[in-house]
Amino acid sequence: MPTYDPTTEARAVRELKRQRAKLSADKDAVTAARDALQEAIVRHLRERNAPPGEVSDHTPYDRNHVGVIARNAGVKPLRVKGQPSEVPVYDPDVVAAALAELDRLTTDFTKAEERESKTHAALQAAATQHYLDNHASAQTLADASEFDRNTIMRWGREARKKAAAGAS
C-alpha cells in the first residue's frame, strides 16, 4: 500500500477540483439545453405549430410530460372537458420546421446529458483511485469532489472486492 505524501495529496485535490468544475459546467449545459428545449415546446404548442403528440415524438418526453410542461407554462389545452373544441389546422411546412427545431434541441440536450454522465463517471473513478492509492483521506477527497466520504469509501471497498475476485 502506498504511503501518504502531501505533494501527491495536493495533486489529487487539484485534479478532483478541476474535474468537479468541469462537471459543474456540464450540469449548467444540461440545464441550459433542457430550458431551451422546454421553451421551444411551449412556444410551438402555444402557437399551435404542431400537434402535442408529434411534439412528444420529437422530444425525450412522453405526451403526458409534454402536457405538464405546457400546463405549467399556461398553454391552453386543445380540448376542455364539457366544451365544444375546435381542431386546429396545422400547416405541414410549419409543422416540419417546428419538429426540425425540436429534433435539433433534443439532440443538443441528449449530448449535454451524455457529456455530464461521462464527466461524472470520470470524477467518480478518479476519487476512487486516489482513495485506493492512499493519495488522500476519504474526507479530503470528498471535500474536493461532490461526493461524501462514505460513498468514496464504499466505492473503494467495491473496487477492492472486484480486484480480489478478478485475481482469484
Side-chain angles (χ1 to χ4, degrees):
M1 177 181 271
T3 58
Y4 170 75
D5 177 17
T7 308
T8 307
E9 177 183 65
R11 197 174 310 122
V13 167
R14 277 194 309 273
E15 178 189 354
L16 292 180
K17 285 184 176 180
R18 186 177 58 252
Q19 287 186 354
R20 184 176 70 185
K22 184 174 179 343
L23 180 60
S24 179
D26 287 348
K27 286 181 177 184
D28 291 344
V30 168
T31 300
R34 181 185 309 114
D35 290 348
L37 176 59
Q38 290 183 359
E39 287 170 10
I41 289 169
V42 168
R43 181 170 28 86
H44 291 306
L45 291 176
R46 183 172 282 134
E47 294 172 2
R48 306 293 191 224
N49 292 339
E54 288 188 43
V55 167
S56 69
D57 291 343
H58 290 266
T59 66
Y61 308 120
D62 63 19
R63 282 191 60 178
N64 292 329
H65 194 85
V66 167
V68 168
I69 292 169
R71 268 191 306 281
N72 289 342
V75 176
K76 295 189 189 310
L78 291 176
R79 295 187 182 120
V80 178
K81 196 172 190 174
Q83 295 181 3
S85 59
E86 291 182 27
V87 178
V89 177
Y90 296 103
D91 179 357
D93 294 334
V94 173
V95 170
L99 298 180
E101 179 187 13
L102 291 173
D103 287 339
R104 181 183 52 79
L105 292 170
T106 296
T107 300
D108 293 346
F109 175 60
T110 303
K111 286 180 181 177
E113 281 187 321
E114 289 170 359
R115 276 191 308 275
E116 178 193 11
S117 179
K118 287 178 184 176
T119 303
H120 187 276
L123 179 58
Q124 176 181 338
T128 302
Q129 194 59 51
H130 286 304
Y131 176 72
L132 290 173
D133 293 343
N134 199 29
H135 292 164
S137 69
Q139 185 60 54
T140 302
L141 296 171
D143 291 342
S145 67
E146 66 168 14
F147 311 117
D148 65 82
R149 68 183 269 288
N150 291 331
T151 300
I152 292 172
M153 292 180 348
R154 179 174 45 83
W155 290 335
R157 284 191 305 273
E158 290 169 359
R160 284 188 190 110
K161 282 181 187 177
K162 196 180 287 185
S168 55

